[in-house]
Amino acid sequence: GEDVEQSLFLSVREGDSSVINCTYTDSSSTYLYWYKQEPGAGLQLLTYIFSNMDMKQDQRLTVLLNKKDKHLSLRIADTQTGDSAIYFCAESGANNLFFGTGTRLTVIP
Amino acid sequence: DAGVIQSPRHEVTEMGQEVTLRCKPISGHNSLFWYRQTMMRGLELLIYFNNNVPIDDSGMPEDRFSAKMPNASFSTLKIQPSEPRDSAVYFCATTGGSGPQHFGDGTRLSIL
């Protein structure tokens, strides 16, 4: 079955860049997603990338996709304290999404 | 756009009681998903519906759990009887076509 893996924790200093990594197994996934979950809230769609793209940039967010290695990353430039949250990577299945365990990003002031 | 609406936001009840969680999807979204989130197991898909029909319920933990979608604008997840190990945050998410899933804010369930 599909397996999406992420590291559990990441700490960065305010103003630095954060890079959250994800590996997935299903090479036929059409879309790959990044969601953000703040405390007490649901998962909020941050950005997504189509599988035939290598990179997508959206303001402070940059998504890189390496299809050969099945590796996805999310870079947050100029990380702010408001970016502290859990970030989930997800790959699209036939009718569903498969989520990673989430990476808890802590931003140190 | 009101987003996915879940109720209640919090539920605390004693074991053995019946619990009903509710979800109102985004208008026009034809797929609905129920997830459970715990520290130990992360985010687990319980069941999903397409056009009000259950497609995959393999994630439903046991017969105590049931879900219905009587119409396109409402779904319920029921636990009867509830047990302490059912304590978790339950999320509903919906999508239209092949687009991304949009999540509600969840129901935080505590079974004492």
Side-chain angles (χ1 to χ4, degrees):
Chain A
E2 289 78 0
D3 191 14
V4 181
E5 295 191 352
Q6 304 177 239
S7 54
L8 292 180
F9 303 99
L10 177 66
S11 292
V12 298
R13 293 208 173 272
E14 188 175 14
D16 288 351
S17 292
S18 307
V19 180
I20 303 171
N21 294 302
C22 170
T23 58
Y24 61 97
T25 55
D26 187 356
S27 58
S28 66
S29 293
T30 305
Y31 291 97
L32 294 131
Y33 300 89
W34 284 104
Y35 282 83
K36 176 184 181 183
Q37 185 181 29
E38 298 185 18
L43 277 70
Q44 172 196 359
L45 179 67
L46 267 186
T47 186
Y48 62 93
I49 188 167
F50 190 53
S51 59
N52 69 353
M53 296 170 65
D54 298 324
M55 185 182 86
K56 180 179 179 181
Q57 186 149 4
D58 184 1
Q59 300 182 332
R60 292 190 297 122
L61 305 179
T62 303
V63 179
L64 295 177
L65 175 60
N66 181 330
K67 282 198 72 175
K68 175 177 169 290
D69 295 337
K70 299 192 186 69
H71 182 267
L72 182 73
S73 67
L74 174 69
R75 179 177 180 268
I76 306 173
D78 186 24
T79 312
Q80 304 296 305
T81 55
D83 295 325
S84 292
I86 302 175
Y87 290 81
F88 290 89
C89 164
E91 63 170 339
S92 59
N95 295 297
N96 190 17
L97 295 183
F98 298 93
F99 287 88
T101 55
T103 299
R104 183 180 294 273
L105 173 64
T106 301
V107 182
I108 304 164
Chain B
D1 188 348
V4 177
I5 299 173
Q6 292 188 245
S7 63
R9 288 297 313 275
H10 303 273
E11 174 90 14
V12 180
T13 191
E14 293 186 343
M15 66 177 292
Q17 298 297 307
E18 178 179 290
V19 172
T20 300
L21 311 181
R22 296 173 177 81
C23 176
K24 178 177 167 56
I26 293 172
S27 178
H29 281 194
N30 62 345
S31 294
L32 183 143
F33 304 80
W34 282 102
Y35 291 91
R36 177 172 69 177
Q37 186 179 36
T38 61
M39 288 291 292
M40 291 296 295
R41 300 173 69 91
L43 197 63
E44 301 174 276
L45 176 66
L46 301 178
I47 184 171
Y48 75 91
F49 296 83
N50 191 47
N51 293 323
N52 311 338
V53 176
I55 302 300
D56 183 356
D57 65 354
S58 59
M60 296 286 261
E62 47 197 274
D63 291 345
R64 297 184 297 108
F65 285 69
S66 62
K68 293 182 181 179
M69 192 164 185
N71 57 61
S73 57
F74 184 64
S75 177
T76 59
L77 177 67
K78 190 171 292 188
I79 309 172
Q80 166 63 19
S82 58
E83 297 182 4
R85 60 192 167 120
D86 302 330
S87 297
V89 182
Y90 290 81
F91 289 105
C92 175
T94 70
T95 184
S98 58
Q101 292 181 18
H102 297 264
F103 281 73
D105 284 336
T107 295
R108 185 172 295 274
L109 177 64
S110 297
I111 308 296
L112 307 177

